[in-house]
Amino acid sequence: MEQAWLWFGVAGLTVVLELASGTFYLLMVALGMTAGGIAAVLRIDWPLQLVIAAVVAGVAVWFLRRSRFGRRRIKVDATADPNTNLDIGQQLHIETWQADGRARAMYRGAEWDVELMPGEAADAGWFVIREVRGSRLFVAHVTV
């Protein structure tokens, strides 16, 4: 019975560590330790308790990896994501363009290099920022 308290105590500690880590993997390991504790309560031998705990934890982690919580997130292109870069979607006025579709424009109190998005005309006027790559703004005409 002492082994059962050891299993349940370590499982509880693992749950506390899980709360600090923010993933579900330690919770699955704690589930395996709880299974080891249940095996100890049923008076199963120590080596078999270890095997039961390992198998239950392994299967739980395997199921977690295949669930929607274990899937890897798709990486977002930060150059064009308005949730990552707050400059995207902002407007700026451009007076003159160079022949190669580039310009310099004041934006947020500094001069920036500006390039047109593909298919855009190099006319003076208001533009919206579509991408930011380094210190270069890629813009398109403002559509009404």
Side-chain angles (χ1 to χ4, degrees):
M1 197 63 169
E2 292 175 14
Q3 289 176 346
W5 288 111
L6 177 68
W7 281 110
F8 294 133
V10 174
L13 181 63
T14 307
V15 168
V16 170
L17 290 174
E18 166 59 40
L19 293 173
S21 74
T23 65
F24 289 113
Y25 291 101
L26 286 177
L27 196 60
M28 300 301 110
V29 172
L31 190 63
M33 290 180 191
T34 303
I38 292 171
V41 168
L42 296 175
R43 301 199 189 283
I44 296 175
D45 292 334
W46 175 251
L48 192 55
Q49 292 175 22
L50 287 172
V51 170
I52 290 170
V55 167
V56 169
V59 168
V61 167
W62 183 80
F63 275 118
L64 177 64
R65 286 289 294 160
R66 272 132 188 77
S67 73
R68 67 182 179 106
F69 299 109
R71 290 196 185 112
R72 294 182 190 253
R73 304 277 188 250
I74 297 172
K75 298 208 183 232
V76 176
D77 182 17
T79 62
D81 183 22
N83 295 320
T84 304
N85 191 331
L86 298 178
D87 292 324
I88 296 170
Q90 300 299 316
Q91 295 183 5
L92 66 141
H93 190 268
I94 299 175
E95 297 290 331
T96 59
W97 288 93
Q98 297 173 4
D100 60 354
R102 294 181 182 187
R104 297 280 291 166
M106 288 297 290
Y107 175 67
R108 289 194 295 139
E111 276 200 18
W112 290 69
D113 292 325
V114 181
E115 283 190 34
L116 285 169
M117 294 294 289
E120 293 290 328
D123 301 327
W126 284 96
F127 291 83
V128 62
I129 301 170
R130 296 289 181 214
E131 291 184 20
V132 179
R133 294 187 210 147
S135 64
R136 188 162 302 219
L137 305 174
F138 289 83
V139 298
H141 281 281
V142 174
T143 55
V144 181

